[in-house]
Amino acid sequence: MSSRQITLPVTGMTCANCVATVERNLKKLNGVTSAVVNLSSERATVEFDSARLGLADLIARVERAGYGVATGEAELVIQRLADDNDARRLEKALRQQEGVLEAVVSYAGEKARIRYIPTIISQAEIRRTVRAAGFEALERGGEAEDAEARAREQEIALQRRLLLTGLLFTLPLFLLSMGKDAGLLPAFFYAPDYKKMYAMMGMYPGAWWFNWLLLVLATPVQFYVGWQYYIGAYKALRNGSANMDVLIAMGSSAAYLYSVPITFGWLDGHVYFETAAVIITLIKLGKFLEARAKGRTSEAIKKLMGLRAKTARVIRDGLESEIPVDDVRVGDIVIVRPGEKIAVDGVVIEGRSTVDESMLTGEAMPVEKRPGDPLIGATINKQGLLKFEATRVGRETALAQIVRLVEEAQASKAPIQKLADQVSGIFVPVVIGIAALTFLGWYFFGPPLPVNADTTPFTRALINMVAVLVIACPCALGLATPTAVMVGTGKGAELGILFRNSEALERAGKVSVVVLDKTGTITKGQPAVTDIVIARQLSVSSGQDTDDGLPITENQLLALAASVEKGSEHPLGEAIWAEATTRGLTLFEPVGFQAEAGHGVEAEVDGQHVAVGNLRMMEKRGYALNGLENEVARLQSEAKTAMLVAIRGQVAGVIAVADTLKEGAIEAVSELRRMGLRVVMLTGDNQKTAEAIARQAGIQEVIAEVLPEGKATEIKRLQGASENPKSKNRPVVAMIGDGVNDAPALAQADVGFAIGTGTDVAMAAAPVTLMSGDLRGVVRAIALSRQTLRTIQQNLFWAFFYNILLIPAAALGWLNPMLAAGAMAFSSVFVVSNSLRLRRKHIS
């Protein structure tokens, strides 16, 4: 099966039932393996078999369910079209691109009009396709449009227009109707001397034309402002489901249609046109406010995308020119002056400067850059002129990957949302059932009305039924989790914290045990040589006592060890190599290099077998320590790592390497403990060195001398997973690491945190990535997760509490339908607004 995953921007969804309808319809397609729809981001992520289904099939299914898919349109000026065959060839090339729905190229007009799905392909990629086909594309009308933003703006504009229309008709309708009922119209309408005269003239409020006036005012509201609800209800029912539109259409229609025969004189009674109109207008007001608020939940993504440079200064064929950033190619030489944004990712080839990376990593201090150092696109060059080679462009840049990661996290579903989804699936049918029981109960068993009452048992039952229908709010249930997740993940991105999915965001707040790797996590991971201790006087050539050779010196020992470490990527090995280079020593090429994870390295150097490693390595090989035991113990007690060097089977000396704590490590550990978390250091280093570093950092629990493959086992032990993996009371363990050795432990942990300065393997294994190497990012991530989780719980409590409390209140006749409509309209606004409060929260 050729499995593919795409994301579709879905329009027209209003509540959790809409989400369920779209998901259910997509899953009905033969070949779809999974479909996840997010109400807040209005996106559907679909995994399917591309051999059996195409993009058009998915779009058609969404539209058949009664919803739309947002599309973008690009109009490009095409240069170098030689004839109509070129136009047809370009058309074919464009149509073959994934995400392009329609492409029309005009040779005569030298234009191309393309309709595309913006979540699958961008205008920059479309222009690259044009260039790849041998033509040049110039965009008409300035900047590329954001099709999703345009669709959202159009939705807000439509809701605003419908709301204003509703208010225009509903306000006079409501004032006239309430004025009549409450006797608030001018007194002469009711004065005995004038009653008869005005009645004869047909101007008395109780006259036949008054109800007709209310009908005229109510009808545009019912069938123009409220038309969306009828369409939505029809499509939902056609698909075998019921959503919020069904409830609103039923409730408002009951009040309106009951009033029509009274207006025509077919029935006696009171008209309720104002009830129908106020229901629709108030809910439209709520939808307008909700649409505006939902737009603000994605502001973090817009802010990230806005960081991108618009142009780049490149050198091609020896000439310097300024081009759009989308036209930069891998391998281009790019020049960036002080104060300018770095256009794309690359590697410095000339110049020195400092770069402000705070917008992506949250690291406040500028980072020094010199030839060979990597650059991240969208960061700002502070001082010197830099010349760099572009290594990643377009969707491959770090910024683009961050945006994609945040979008994927926002589109995913948190486990806490499961209950809301289950309730939403049966919510509307249950409400309709309660409304029907309310009508029957009040009609057949309601208390008797007073003799002079201006209502009937039927009217009373109808109004209470309408109140039940319009008070119910599935929207709040559907928005409770995704809006908070969107704001939380966006806030995290601003702080340099990337959550891979919403489950990671939720679980991070439940962490009870934090496990920290030592090297590169607690310490800087840039150790330096501090001591070199020589064993008994050995000769370099034979390895025998000095009776038959010259004694080995510090530099000779260091040169041999550094020669072996030339093939190593371990930080300790790099420190030995760096020290030898600094001393200007001549190094040899190692032959037969071998690395033994968790022990050390060995190779043939200058005709001699040299092994560099820890005490375990030497003991395993049975090498004599030649009286170095006390020196090793002393160095380890000073928080130094002792690397033993064996030449021709005998330990010739020890090289001590020390690492220093990262800035903020002590503060981070202190804050984690203050949050009530158990902090553990897990390392492959020896016990004494590990304990010395732990004391400096303020960590009380140390697990040392653990081989890479044993780290995952230790995480499992801390979880208590071997005893009862399904226990809800077991500790929730977070692992923080930065290296390849940490990847299995990161995967085993309930929540893995990868330090962004570490390797790609670690980042791929971790649900949470800290863009900077600052350990305080873990504190911020857990605090943000807790606040997001608290917001979700508040939202869900409100959504359930609101419905559990007010639906029975409406059924008991305690709520007027108009008040019910107002409460319903603002319940979803409350949920979105509560989620937006997260943006203003200070995460220290």
Side-chain angles (χ1 to χ4, degrees):
M1 185 179 81
S2 50
S3 181
R4 272 176 51 208
Q5 181 177 297
I6 62 167
T7 300
L8 298 175
V10 181
T11 60
M13 295 189 296
T14 57
C15 66
N17 291 88
C18 301
V19 170
T21 299
V22 176
E23 282 184 355
R24 186 171 61 252
N25 274 272
L26 285 169
K27 287 174 181 176
K28 283 180 181 177
L29 286 172
N30 193 12
V32 170
T33 53
S34 74
V36 178
V37 181
N38 186 289
L39 176 60
S40 186
S41 63
E42 297 178 296
R43 288 185 172 191
T45 303
V46 189
E47 193 171 328
F48 64 100
D49 182 0
S50 58
R52 301 164 75 179
L53 288 173
L55 179 61
D57 300 314
L58 301 175
I59 294 172
R61 193 69 191 190
V62 171
E63 290 174 344
R64 186 176 180 276
Y67 304 92
V69 175
T71 59
E73 286 192 7
E75 192 171 326
L76 305 175
V77 175
I78 307 297
Q79 295 180 334
R80 301 181 188 170
L81 287 172
D83 53 29
D84 199 51
N85 286 332
D86 277 354
R88 303 286 76 76
R89 179 165 63 84
L90 178 57
E91 230 174 58
K92 183 179 179 182
L94 288 168
R95 286 174 179 167
Q96 287 175 343
Q97 297 304 303
E98 184 183 19
V100 172
L101 301 176
E102 185 182 319
V104 178
V105 181
S106 168
Y107 166 63
E110 294 187 318
K111 290 190 299 187
R113 190 184 297 276
I114 303 105
R115 196 162 64 89
Y116 63 97
I117 304 295
T119 52
I120 301 175
I121 191 169
S122 67
Q123 285 201 19
E125 289 168 313
I126 291 171
R127 288 197 295 275
R128 280 196 283 273
T129 301
V130 173
R131 281 198 300 273
F135 309 101
E136 284 297 321
L138 304 176
E139 190 176 351
R140 294 164 61 98
E143 294 291 326
E145 65 174 354
D146 183 342
E148 284 187 278
R150 181 171 58 85
R152 185 161 280 175
E153 285 165 8
Q154 288 176 345
E155 175 64 20
I156 292 172
L158 173 63
Q159 296 297 341
R160 184 189 294 112
R161 186 174 72 249
L162 293 174
L163 172 62
L164 292 175
T165 304
L167 289 171
L168 180 67
F169 287 97
T170 301
L171 279 175
L173 171 59
F174 178 77
L175 292 173
L176 284 170
S177 183
M178 292 298 102
K180 175 193 171 185
D181 292 344
L184 298 177
L185 290 177
F188 63 78
F189 276 87
Y190 297 98
D193 295 339
Y194 296 97
K195 263 190 180 182
K196 194 169 185 179
M197 179 178 69
Y198 280 99
M200 289 172 63
M201 295 171 62
M203 293 178 67
Y204 178 64
W208 64 272
W209 67 267
F210 189 80
N211 286 348
W212 281 94
L213 174 61
L214 300 185
L215 173 64
V216 169
L217 290 171
T219 301
V221 180
Q222 191 70 32
F223 297 109
Y224 173 68
V225 178
W227 186 245
Q228 281 183 321
Y229 301 125
Y230 285 103
I231 294 294
Y234 165 72
K235 289 177 177 177
L237 293 171
R238 186 185 67 183
N239 286 287
S241 66
N243 61 4
M244 182 199 74
D245 293 336
V246 173
L247 298 178
I248 297 168
M250 287 179 65
S252 61
S253 296
Y256 179 88
L257 295 175
Y258 169 75
S259 303
V260 170
I262 294 173
T263 303
F264 279 79
W266 299 337
L267 291 174
D268 291 328
H270 191 287
V271 293
Y272 289 95
F273 288 122
E274 80 288 350
T275 300
V278 168
I279 287 171
I280 289 174
T281 303
L282 280 176
I283 291 171
K284 192 59 67 178
L285 172 62
K287 282 294 159 193
F288 169 66
L289 295 174
E290 179 190 318
R292 285 211 317 181
K294 275 165 59 179
R296 292 201 294 273
T297 61
S298 59
E299 279 185 1
I301 287 285
K302 293 174 187 172
K303 194 181 292 184
L304 281 172
M305 294 173 74
L307 294 175
R308 203 173 69 126
K310 301 292 186 291
T311 60
R313 197 175 283 105
V314 301
I315 298 175
R316 289 179 181 170
D317 302 323
L319 298 174
E320 182 181 321
S321 60
E322 192 168 318
I323 62 173
V325 71
D326 291 329
D327 294 341
V328 178
R329 298 192 289 262
V330 173
D332 274 343
I333 304 302
V334 185
I335 294 174
V336 57
R337 294 187 169 90
E340 292 182 341
K341 280 187 178 180
I342 293 164
V344 296
D345 295 1
V347 176
V348 178
I349 58 173
E350 189 178 311
R352 287 174 178 248
S353 183
T354 56
V355 174
D356 180 5
E357 298 180 347
S358 60
M359 63 285 298
L360 293 182
T361 65
E363 199 73 70
M365 293 297 293
V367 182
E368 190 176 340
K369 299 292 180 181
R370 61 186 71 185
D373 287 341
L375 294 173
I376 305 174
T379 55
I380 299 172
N381 182 27
K382 300 292 285 184
Q383 294 174 340
L385 180 91
L386 289 175
K387 191 181 286 187
F388 70 93
E389 180 183 348
T391 56
R392 293 193 293 188
V393 300
R395 291 197 173 190
E396 301 305 314
T397 63
L399 177 64
Q401 290 182 50
I402 288 168
V403 169
R404 185 165 64 249
L405 194 63
V406 174
E407 286 178 337
E408 287 173 358
Q410 292 180 341
S412 63
K413 284 192 176 182
I416 198 172
Q417 192 177 341
K418 187 178 292 184
L419 176 61
D421 287 347
Q422 289 171 344
V423 172
S424 297
I426 60 169
F427 184 82
V428 176
V430 168
V431 169
I432 292 172
I434 293 171
L437 291 173
T438 299
F439 178 84
L440 295 173
W442 278 99
Y443 186 71
F444 291 108
F445 307 107
L449 292 166
V451 178
N452 59 346
D454 61 350
T455 186
T456 65
F458 179 85
T459 305
R460 182 178 62 182
L462 179 73
I463 292 303
N464 290 334
M465 181 191 76
V466 170
V468 171
L469 289 171
V470 298
I471 194 67
C473 186
C475 297
L477 282 172
L479 291 168
T481 302
T483 52
V485 166
M486 282 192 74
V487 177
T489 51
K491 179 83 172 176
E494 291 176 5
L495 296 170
I497 303 162
L498 301 180
F499 294 95
R500 190 165 297 278
N501 50 49
S502 52
E503 182 177 0
L505 177 64
E506 179 183 331
R507 289 193 72 80
K510 299 176 180 178
V511 166
S512 57
V513 180
V514 175
V515 180
L516 303 169
D517 177 48
K518 180 177 78 70
T519 307
T521 303
I522 299 174
T523 61
K524 290 180 179 178
Q526 297 171 338
V529 172
T530 58
D531 302 80
I532 299 177
V533 181
I534 305 298
R536 288 185 305 151
Q537 298 294 304
L538 300 177
S539 79
V540 182
S541 57
S542 65
Q544 302 299 317
D545 290 341
T546 53
D547 299 338
D548 55 7
L550 294 174
I552 188 169
T553 64
E554 274 192 13
N555 282 351
Q556 289 171 330
L557 184 78
L558 181 61
L560 289 172
S563 297
V564 178
E565 295 288 4
K566 279 179 72 176
S568 171
E569 294 181 355
H570 195 282
L572 299 177
E574 289 177 354
I576 294 172
W577 178 85
E579 179 66 19
T581 305
T582 303
R583 295 190 184 191
L585 303 180
T586 301
L587 303 184
F588 306 96
E589 280 300 317
V591 178
F593 174 84
Q594 287 185 321
E596 190 175 338
H599 289 81
V601 293
E602 58 186 330
E604 288 287 331
V605 176
D606 193 27
Q608 302 181 86
H609 179 267
V610 181
V612 184
N614 55 26
L615 202 57
R616 287 196 300 268
M617 182 181 193
M618 303 304 154
E619 289 173 347
K620 184 179 177 182
R621 282 162 172 71
Y623 294 164
L625 297 184
N626 294 325
L628 288 172
E629 294 92 335
N630 292 335
E631 287 296 326
V632 170
R634 177 184 65 81
L635 293 169
Q636 289 179 348
S637 68
E638 295 172 0
K640 298 172 182 176
T641 301
M643 303 291 289
L644 296 157
V645 183
I647 303 171
R648 295 173 67 108
Q650 292 194 56
V651 176
V654 59
I655 300 175
V657 178
D659 200 355
T660 55
L661 291 179
K662 278 185 176 181
E663 184 183 350
I666 297 173
E667 183 186 337
V669 170
S670 173
E671 192 62 26
L672 288 169
R673 292 180 63 188
R674 192 189 64 79
M675 294 168 77
L677 302 175
R678 175 185 169 195
V679 182
V680 181
M681 187 169 82
L682 179 64
T683 179
D685 215 334
N686 66 82
Q687 189 72 32
K688 288 184 178 179
T689 302
E691 286 176 352
I693 291 289
R695 277 196 301 273
Q696 292 177 29
I699 300 172
Q700 296 176 339
E701 192 171 347
V702 178
I703 304 173
E705 301 182 29
V706 180
L707 296 176
E709 59 270 21
K711 287 186 176 181
T713 306
E714 288 296 331
I715 295 293
K716 200 171 183 180
R717 184 182 63 77
L718 288 168
Q719 290 171 322
S722 56
E723 298 169 13
N724 188 4
K726 295 185 178 180
S727 172
K728 292 183 179 179
N729 297 321
R730 73 169 178 82
V732 178
V733 178
M735 171 69 191
I736 295 91
D738 78 324
V740 177
N741 290 342
D742 301 322
L746 289 170
Q748 173 62 40
D750 297 293
V751 188
F753 289 78
I755 301 292
T757 52
T759 63
D760 291 337
V761 177
M763 292 176 72
V768 185
T769 299
L770 306 177
M771 290 298 292
S772 75
D774 192 339
L775 200 56
R776 286 169 292 194
V778 177
V779 177
R780 288 191 285 268
I782 293 173
L784 175 62
S785 174
R786 287 181 175 182
Q787 289 194 356
T788 304
L789 198 56
R790 196 175 302 121
T791 301
I792 292 172
Q793 289 165 346
Q794 289 168 354
N795 288 347
L796 288 173
F797 173 79
W798 166 259
F800 282 108
F801 172 79
Y802 163 88
N803 284 295
I804 290 169
L805 190 69
L806 295 188
I807 290 176
L812 292 171
W814 296 345
L815 281 177
N816 179 282
M818 289 182 283
L819 292 175
M824 185 271 195
F826 287 98
S827 62
S828 54
V829 176
F830 170 85
V831 164
V832 178
S833 302
N834 189 48
S835 295
L836 287 172
R837 287 192 313 119
L838 267 174
R839 293 190 310 164
R840 298 190 294 273
K841 292 279 188 181
H842 177 66
I843 309 291
S844 58

